[in-house]
Amino acid sequence: MTGQVGRGEREKGRKGVGGKARLLQFRISDFGFRISLPPNQTERQKTGERGSAALKAVAWVLVGAVVMLLLVVDPFGVSPVDGWLGIERSPVIGHGDGHGQETELWTCPMHPQILEEEPGTCPICGMDLVPVKKEAGHGEGGDGRGKEERKILFYRNPMDPSITSPVPRKDDMGMDYVPVYADEAEAAAADGAVVTIDPAVQQNMNVVTQRVERRDISREIRTVGYLDYDQERMVSVTTKYPGFIEKTYVNYIGQPVTLGEPLFEIYAPELVQTEQELLSAIRYARQLDSAPADTRNRAVALVEAARQRLAYWDVSPEQIAELEETGQVFRTLQVLAPASGVVMLRMAGLEGMATQPGMELLHIADISNLWLTVEVFDNQLPWLNVGSAATITLSYFPGATYRGRVRYVEPEVSEKTRTIRLTLDVPNRDDRLRVGMYATVVFRPVVAKGALTVPAEAVIRTGERNLVVVALGNGRFAPRDVVLGPAGESFVEILKGLTDGDEVVTSAQFLIDSESNLREAIQKMIAAKRAGGGE
């Protein structure tokens, strides 16, 4: 009985303890653990050991996660994981970031007010940003004072240095005013308008210089004109006696003729009468061979008078000699060409026409030499005169070049066009040129000999003055006023302002000049403030 009771009580006790164990297991399982209390001591020990092992595993997992997080994030920069993952840390120079480290600053070489912590391009001009150089006394090894300790005199507008402010502000475009420091003012006062540029910045700006040289300056004067006949090589064929043309040898315009070639035959009663008088005078003089000398002389004078009349009527000596030899009167006389050339005018219906003295029957022009008429402006005349050479080209003959010289300069300037007309002699040896052709004429006169010259692109023309930027050496540049002379062939003469051996900037001079003007403006403003007691 007792044993049964004891056994029943033990079973009841186990059931009670097991219920508590199950309750504890349910509540702890809510937190992810399964811990049960054994009914006896041995089971309690085993269950406790298993719970400790689980807690330790959870703790190690948490510790590992924290360590991995620190290695990946690496706020102290001591982990090699950054290198394995490809994360690079840039060298640090410049201003502090609050943790004892310095970050690199980048600025625009032409707009120093632009400061960035990463490389890139300037938002104003688009130039590549360059690293900010450490200044002595402000970086490592200096006195530890930062840029904020420098004395600020005033603030200036970044786009207009003449606009200043005693306090920081923004302009209408939202750009911050640029501070002007005392040390910059002292440097500006010492150097004036001289600009010093780092060699790396010069390369980025593409600064190109060239030495001043002496040379002859030729100016190109280009104009157009048209070809015309040489007025000195044109002749008109007329008769000095009335008559009738019975036969012609020139039948069309443009027919070439040579000197002494027959043009037409004409019958003239006065001419025939004069021929008869000549033959009669010759016979009469022969009959007076034995007469006194005075009589013979009068007879010879009659012969010479008849000959002279025929010569005055343009009868050639050969024709007169033939008349005297044959003793026969020529009914018609051949009129010969007075010059070589081409027939430019022929009267229509010439054959059989009755002519009068002075009537122009034919017009002959010699085209072996032509005239070229051109016009130039009055301000170009000082370099052109009689004898000036010119190169002539025509679109009709590509690649062909002709030469000509000025033979005449008109004494009057056209009031409407302000031009002067020039006449050039143009040889036409191959007879390819024709009257009326348009031609391009180029003169290249020397406007200055042995002149001190610089490239034309090196000159900055402001409208009020002319400037060049002179390279002083060691990265120093300064603008200089110059007086210009004649220009030509991409060069311009310098009358005053430069000497032999000077070196001028031919590229990026506008940027250098703007920086120099900025320094000069700052210097003037500082001087004005000091004069007004604003220092």
Side-chain angles (χ1 to χ4, degrees):
M1 185 72 177
T2 304
Q4 293 177 354
V5 172
R7 187 167 48 253
E9 291 177 356
R10 284 195 301 271
E11 290 177 359
K12 184 178 180 180
R14 282 198 302 272
K15 292 180 180 179
V17 174
K20 294 180 179 180
R22 285 193 298 273
L23 179 59
L24 180 60
Q25 179 182 357
F26 173 76
R27 291 178 178 176
I28 297 178
S29 64
D30 293 341
F31 299 93
F33 299 95
R34 295 182 60 86
I35 302 175
S36 60
L37 296 178
N40 52 28
Q41 186 66 29
T42 303
E43 291 180 357
R44 289 194 191 99
Q45 292 178 356
K46 292 181 179 181
T47 302
E49 292 177 358
R50 285 196 297 270
S52 300
L55 289 174
K56 290 181 180 179
V58 172
W60 279 110
V61 170
L62 293 176
V63 172
V66 172
V67 172
M68 289 300 295
L69 182 62
L70 293 176
L71 291 177
V72 173
V73 176
D74 190 19
F76 303 103
V78 297
S79 173
V81 177
D82 293 345
W84 301 339
L85 298 179
I87 301 175
E88 297 181 357
R89 305 287 182 177
S90 59
V92 291
I93 60 172
H95 66 281
D97 58 0
H99 298 284
Q101 298 291 333
E102 292 183 346
T103 59
E104 185 177 16
L105 293 180
W106 300 78
T107 184
C108 175
M110 299 311 301
H111 300 89
Q113 68 270 20
I114 302 299
L115 292 175
E116 300 290 343
E117 295 185 358
E118 296 180 357
T121 58
C122 176
I124 299 177
C125 63
M127 294 181 62
D128 293 336
L129 301 181
V130 297
V132 177
K133 299 176 63 177
K134 287 187 176 181
E135 300 180 0
H138 297 281
E140 297 179 0
D143 56 5
R145 292 179 299 175
K147 195 171 185 178
E148 63 277 5
E149 297 181 6
R150 299 166 63 188
K151 182 181 179 181
I152 298 177
L153 297 180
F154 55 89
Y155 297 84
R156 64 171 178 83
N157 190 305
M159 305 305 295
D160 188 354
S162 62
I163 302 176
T164 62
S165 173
V167 295
R169 57 175 297 186
K170 294 180 180 292
D171 61 1
D172 296 337
M173 301 174 61
M175 300 178 62
D176 293 331
Y177 273 41
V178 180
V180 177
Y181 297 96
D183 54 354
E184 293 179 352
E186 294 175 358
D191 293 340
V194 177
V195 178
T196 302
I197 304 177
D198 185 84
V201 179
Q202 293 184 37
Q203 185 174 4
N204 293 335
M205 295 172 57
N206 192 25
V207 177
V208 181
T209 61
Q210 184 171 337
R211 190 173 296 275
V212 177
E213 297 179 356
R214 289 193 176 273
R215 58 166 52 85
D216 293 342
I217 297 181
S218 298
R219 173 174 293 181
E220 181 179 289
I221 301 176
R222 183 178 296 267
T223 183
V224 295
Y226 59 91
L227 292 171
D228 199 356
Y229 293 110
D230 187 344
Q231 301 297 326
E232 294 181 353
R233 297 172 182 261
M234 299 177 64
V235 294
S236 296
V237 180
T238 62
T239 60
K240 300 176 181 178
Y241 42 83
F244 302 89
I245 298 177
E246 296 188 354
K247 185 178 181 179
T248 60
Y249 298 97
V250 176
N251 300 315
Y252 57 91
I253 295 176
Q255 179 177 341
V257 296
T258 57
L259 177 64
E261 181 180 348
L263 301 177
F264 55 85
E265 292 183 5
I266 186 172
Y267 166 69
E270 293 183 6
L271 184 61
V272 172
Q273 182 179 357
T274 304
E275 292 176 1
Q276 293 175 348
E277 291 178 359
L278 175 60
L279 295 178
S280 299
I282 292 175
R283 287 193 297 269
Y284 178 72
R286 290 174 181 175
Q287 294 174 0
L288 296 178
D289 289 339
S290 58
D294 293 341
T295 304
R296 290 198 308 271
N297 291 338
R298 286 195 295 270
V300 172
L302 292 175
V303 173
E304 290 298 328
R307 288 174 180 171
Q308 194 66 35
R309 182 185 296 180
L310 292 175
Y312 288 159
W313 283 344
D314 296 329
V315 180
S316 65
E318 292 79 7
Q319 291 174 328
I320 296 175
E322 183 180 357
L323 175 64
E324 294 178 359
E325 291 177 1
T326 59
Q328 296 180 359
V329 175
F330 302 141
R331 181 178 178 277
T332 60
L333 180 68
Q334 289 184 344
V335 177
L336 306 180
S340 299
V342 294
V343 176
M344 304 309 302
L345 174 64
R346 179 183 182 275
M347 185 173 291
L350 186 60
E351 190 168 342
M353 178 182 294
T355 64
Q356 294 296 326
M359 181 183 296
E360 186 178 23
L361 305 176
L362 297 171
H363 189 84
I364 300 174
D366 185 359
I367 62 173
S368 62
N369 189 83
L370 297 178
W371 282 3
L372 179 60
T373 304
V374 299
E375 293 183 358
V376 297
F377 291 104
D378 51 0
N379 60 353
Q380 298 172 338
L381 190 61
W383 299 290
L384 299 176
N385 47 39
V386 176
S388 297
T391 302
I392 303 168
T393 57
L394 298 93
S395 59
Y396 313 93
F397 312 114
T401 302
Y402 296 85
R403 301 285 296 178
R405 290 189 176 275
V406 178
R407 61 165 296 134
Y408 176 70
V409 180
E410 286 192 356
E412 184 179 1
V413 177
S414 173
E415 296 182 357
K416 295 182 179 180
T417 61
R418 306 307 304 169
T419 57
I420 301 175
R421 183 172 297 180
L422 307 180
T423 301
L424 287 76
D425 272 327
V426 182
N428 186 24
R429 298 182 180 88
D430 52 2
D431 292 339
R432 297 175 65 188
L433 302 180
R434 293 291 183 269
V435 173
M437 287 183 173
Y438 279 94
T440 300
V441 183
V442 178
F443 296 94
R444 289 186 175 86
V446 177
V447 298
K449 293 184 177 181
L452 189 68
T453 61
V454 298
E457 61 269 18
V459 181
I460 302 175
R461 305 173 188 265
T462 65
E464 297 181 355
R465 58 177 184 165
N466 300 308
L467 302 172
V468 295
V469 178
V470 181
L472 304 178
N474 298 326
R476 300 171 67 247
F477 302 89
R480 188 175 298 176
D481 289 297
V482 293
V483 178
L484 303 182
E489 294 185 346
S490 302
F491 290 93
V492 60
E493 182 182 8
I494 303 298
L495 300 177
K496 186 178 180 181
L498 295 177
T499 58
D500 292 324
D502 287 342
E503 194 167 350
V504 298
V505 179
T506 60
S507 176
Q509 67 269 28
F510 290 96
L511 298 176
I512 300 175
D513 179 64
S514 63
E515 180 66 19
S516 175
N517 292 338
L518 176 61
R519 294 174 62 89
E520 185 177 3
I522 293 175
Q523 181 182 358
K524 291 180 179 179
M525 287 188 294
I526 293 172
K529 288 182 177 295
R530 289 180 176 176
E535 184 178 6

